[in-house]
Amino acid sequence: MRLFTCGIIIVCLHALPYFLLGEDAHMRVHDNLDSNIAWYRVLVQSGELFGSVHATIPQIIGGLPRNAYGTEFSGIVLLHALFPSVYAYGLSQLLTRLFAFIGMYLLLKTHVLKEKEAEWIRVGVALAFALTPFWPSGMLSTLGMPLALWALFNIRAGDRSLKNYVVLTLLPFYSSFVLGFFFFLSAMFIFWAFDAWRRRPNVPLLLALIYMTVLYLAIEYRLVHSFLFATEPTSRDEYVHARLPLWRSLRLTLKNYMFGHTHVMTIHTLIILPITFIALYIVWRKTWWQQERLFWQLHIINVMLSAWYAFWFYKGWLPATEAFPFLDRFNFARYHFLRPMVIYVLFALSLRIIWRAWDRSVVSFAIVSQLVVAMLFHEQIVYRDKPTFRAFYAEKQFEQVKRYIGKPLHTYRVVSIGMHPAIAQYNGFYTLDTYNNFYPLSYKHQFRKIIASELAKNKKLKQYFDEWGGRCYIFVDELGKHYMFTKQSNKRIRHMKLHTDVLYDMGGRYVFSALPIDNAKQNNLKLLRTFEHDESAWNIYLYEVEREKTT
């Protein structure tokens, strides 16, 4: 228990900077500050947290479907409703990592490494797993899988304890079905079918899987409604995922296997991968294939998951996606979200193999080294050169902008250039640009008219918007796919061509630009004022959209 308690303390210390630094903490921007954190705030302040499936959020694109923000029964939404954003974020980090540690520890202790003398491996691997830089808004979507597997394997083994069903009941409230547990549960159904064919049907396990699946569908009722019953086409309908040639799919397989993915960062390349290969060599030399079946099976599964991820984008899928459009609307590549659990269980088994074949010192060195790697991937280190929470959202600076404009926020619309629209949204502005999982396809086509000339100049931007469009941004050819130009930037926009007549007709009255626009006049934009603030990451050039003069 002493080692386990030390693990708990380290996890708590890992989350401490968010509470000590508050808004001066650094954190991930991509799919975090640029989106989810602002979404929670907009949703809570909209008054539509418990809105109907037909409700809209007027602040975003003149009426973003309420369903685009997901379920109100998600634990992270509740945290952001109860606490200031940065502390809600810190609490989510703490809760996720604590249950990731506990879950992996229990899985290893009960079903993988049962030897009493392997406690230090269990604790070390569980701690390393819990400290991986997971995608923050995913919560326990990937890091909660070991806890769920522990409970399900308990049920499979005949354990009918209440604790197993408590885990299966509570996990859906702090994880995402489409960003993790759809893939976990579907894989478990396949496992159950294989298990039933090989032995006999395990009815309690099947009922537990059905129960957890139904609970997820009930919690994610907005997603179910949008997927099955919504009739209006959305931006997802134009998503094209299958476009890679064979050689690039093979290269992506290797890349994912070696380095992982930004949403499921396993940080396994430097220490864990060599350790698993060393253990594989030992198993081969000592012909331990029979007694280490789980070990080599996990090796195969790990490769298969990377290959599935990469080949989901292979252009050979095009005939299937044309025949079944839902294959484009749902990202089935995410079976690779199982890899964090697979890799760290494989790590634990590899350490046991090396320990048995060689000595304890090598294993100790590997565990400590992986923990050091995990510590170096702390957000306060990785994102130390990025804006802090306070600097990113720049609330005091945007308060100055509000006072200068001097109109009720709901009476005009804004767009942003060189900075994420989530910043304006977080500060209460009504935006025409946005980043969301989906929104009406008709709006995407309407918004496209504003940036049509810029997209025509840049093939990559055109493909990015037309074949995905989740980022409904004011794209500028000169800036490319770069959305963050801080006040340290010396860049200027010189040759922009926007159709501001369309922007004006959509209600757009102001442009927040992080960069000066040299040809503003040609775009019917009038510079009103430049806003600077010591606590902000930006210089905000406030432009007014003028009605195009007719002759």
Side-chain angles (χ1 to χ4, degrees):
M1 287 303 296
R2 223 179 311 172
L3 282 173
F4 181 82
T5 304
C6 286
I8 293 288
I9 292 172
I10 291 172
V11 169
C12 293
L13 290 174
H14 190 275
L16 190 60
Y18 301 105
F19 302 99
L20 294 179
L21 297 173
E23 292 192 353
D24 293 317
H26 293 272
M27 55 190 67
R28 175 188 176 121
V29 173
H30 177 64
D31 285 350
N32 190 39
L33 289 176
D34 70 349
S35 49
N36 294 76
I37 290 180
W39 296 351
Y40 304 137
R41 183 179 175 104
V42 169
L43 176 58
V44 170
Q45 294 184 349
S46 71
E48 295 291 348
L49 180 60
F50 296 97
S52 77
V53 292
H54 304 293
T56 59
I57 310 294
Q59 185 186 341
I60 314 300
I61 66 173
L64 178 75
R66 163 63 185 86
N67 288 357
Y69 281 143
T71 181
E72 60 269 39
F73 299 116
S74 171
I76 198 168
V77 174
L78 179 63
L79 286 178
H80 281 265
L82 296 176
F83 301 100
S85 298
V86 73
Y87 296 115
Y89 185 86
L91 284 169
S92 184
Q93 287 278 324
L94 177 60
L95 289 171
T96 301
R97 296 188 188 282
L98 277 175
F99 284 101
F101 173 71
I102 293 169
M104 179 58 80
Y105 175 81
L106 290 174
L107 177 64
L108 293 178
K109 182 177 182 179
T110 310
H111 300 291
V112 183
L113 301 182
K114 301 179 183 179
E115 303 93 331
K116 183 179 180 180
E117 58 272 21
E119 177 73 0
W120 55 294
I121 295 179
R122 289 193 290 266
V123 171
V125 171
L127 182 57
F129 175 75
L131 299 185
T132 54
F134 70 101
W135 177 55
S137 290
M139 304 165 284
L140 286 166
S141 300
T142 54
L143 295 193
M145 289 181 186
L147 187 59
L149 190 61
W150 168 76
L152 290 169
F153 275 4
N154 288 346
I155 294 169
R156 176 176 178 261
D159 182 356
R160 305 292 184 265
S161 301
L162 180 62
K163 64 179 184 292
N164 299 318
Y165 299 96
V166 169
V167 166
L168 300 184
T169 301
L170 293 182
L171 263 176
F173 290 94
Y174 210 74
S175 58
S176 168
F177 187 57
V178 296
L179 296 172
F181 269 87
F182 168 85
F183 308 99
F184 173 83
L185 288 170
S186 57
M188 286 301 299
F189 275 112
I190 294 171
F191 171 82
W192 178 89
F194 180 76
D195 204 34
W197 171 76
R198 195 179 55 167
R199 301 179 181 180
R200 60 182 179 82
N202 190 310
V203 176
L205 176 59
L206 177 62
L207 292 176
L209 290 171
I210 293 173
Y211 167 72
M212 198 175 189
T213 302
V214 171
L215 183 56
Y216 264 114
L217 293 177
I219 291 171
E220 299 277 6
Y221 73 97
R222 294 184 183 275
L223 175 71
V224 174
H225 181 273
S226 297
F227 196 77
L228 296 180
F229 305 112
T231 56
E232 183 180 16
T234 74
S235 56
R236 299 289 295 186
D237 291 327
E238 289 189 336
Y239 176 49
V240 178
H241 81 270
R243 59 168 47 259
L244 294 184
L246 178 61
W247 73 270
R248 286 192 61 187
S249 295
L250 290 170
R251 187 179 70 176
L252 186 57
T253 300
L254 181 61
K255 180 181 177 182
N256 182 260
Y257 178 78
M258 293 287 294
F259 304 108
H261 186 275
T262 182
H263 285 150
V264 281
M265 293 182 66
T266 47
I267 53 174
H268 66 285
T269 311
L270 190 62
I271 305 298
I272 296 177
L273 194 60
I275 287 294
T276 60
F277 284 147
I278 291 171
L280 187 61
Y281 173 76
I282 292 172
V283 170
W284 172 70
R285 283 299 302 268
K286 294 184 177 291
T287 61
W288 286 352
W289 302 110
Q290 189 61 34
Q291 66 192 82
E292 297 293 349
R293 288 180 62 194
L294 178 60
F295 168 76
W296 60 260
Q297 287 171 351
L298 287 178
H299 263 291
I300 294 172
I301 291 172
N302 192 25
V303 174
M304 289 174 62
L305 290 172
S306 288
W308 173 261
Y309 162 74
F311 276 86
W312 180 250
F313 302 102
Y314 174 52
K315 62 183 181 182
W317 280 100
L318 277 175
T321 59
E322 290 170 358
F324 305 101
F326 75 90
L327 293 175
D328 269 332
R329 290 199 292 269
F330 190 83
N331 189 353
F332 286 95
R334 289 177 176 149
Y335 276 100
H336 75 103
F337 280 20
L338 295 168
R339 289 192 71 222
M341 178 174 65
V342 170
I343 287 172
Y344 278 83
V345 172
L346 186 57
F347 183 38
L349 291 171
S350 300
L351 293 174
R352 183 177 66 180
I353 290 167
I354 294 172
W355 174 34
R356 286 176 173 174
W358 293 348
D359 59 58
R360 181 172 178 146
S361 60
V362 176
V363 176
S364 299
F365 175 78
I367 292 173
V368 171
S369 298
Q370 184 60 31
L371 289 175
V372 169
V373 170
M375 293 296 185
L376 292 176
F377 271 84
H378 195 290
E379 286 188 317
Q380 305 311 310
I381 298 174
V382 174
Y383 302 113
R384 64 189 181 278
D385 295 327
K386 300 293 183 182
T388 63
F389 183 97
R390 186 192 309 278
F392 186 85
Y393 287 121
E395 291 183 78
K396 292 180 181 178
Q397 186 181 30
F398 276 93
E399 193 60 40
Q400 293 175 350
V401 176
K402 290 178 190 175
R403 289 198 299 268
Y404 179 84
I405 294 174
K407 302 175 187 176
L409 294 175
H410 69 275
T411 62
Y412 59 91
R413 301 293 182 268
V414 305
V415 293
S416 301
I417 297 176
M419 65 176 73
H420 295 282
I423 300 170
Q425 293 170 0
Y426 187 89
N427 283 284
F429 288 95
Y430 284 57
T431 69
L432 294 175
D433 49 351
T434 193
Y435 174 22
N436 286 103
N437 292 321
F438 66 89
Y439 55 92
L441 184 61
S442 58
Y443 186 87
K444 178 185 175 182
H445 292 166
Q446 185 183 19
F447 188 89
R448 191 190 190 284
K449 296 175 183 177
I450 302 173
I451 56 175
S453 295
E454 291 300 305
L455 295 183
K457 300 178 195 175
N458 192 310
K459 183 180 179 181
K460 287 186 178 180
L461 285 180
K462 182 178 183 298
Q463 179 181 310
Y464 185 62
F465 184 82
D466 288 347
E467 297 186 8
W468 181 52
R471 292 191 189 272
C472 189
Y473 282 19
I474 298 293
F475 288 112
V476 179
D477 170 49
E478 296 169 66
L479 306 183
K481 286 171 63 176
H482 299 284
Y483 326 116
M484 276 182 45
F485 291 87
T486 64
K487 58 189 176 185
Q488 283 75 35
S489 175
N490 295 319
K491 193 169 183 62
R492 306 178 70 89
I493 299 174
R494 304 179 189 277
H495 308 292
M496 184 176 73
K497 173 57 181 172
L498 298 180
H499 295 273
T500 49
D501 55 329
V502 181
L503 176 60
Y504 191 93
D505 290 342
M506 291 174 67
R509 295 296 181 267
Y510 300 98
V511 173
F512 299 157
S513 180
L515 301 170
I517 303 172
D518 290 349
N519 65 337
K521 188 174 181 181
Q522 290 92 317
N523 285 275
N524 298 309
L525 299 176
K526 178 184 177 183
L527 180 63
L528 298 179
R529 182 175 166 183
T530 302
F531 293 86
E532 300 178 3
H533 198 284
D534 291 342
E535 294 182 358
S536 170
W538 327 102
N539 285 332
I540 300 174
Y541 297 85
L542 177 64
Y543 291 91
E544 184 177 20
V545 183
E546 298 184 310
R547 185 186 294 274
E548 188 171 12
K549 297 176 183 177
T550 57
T551 56

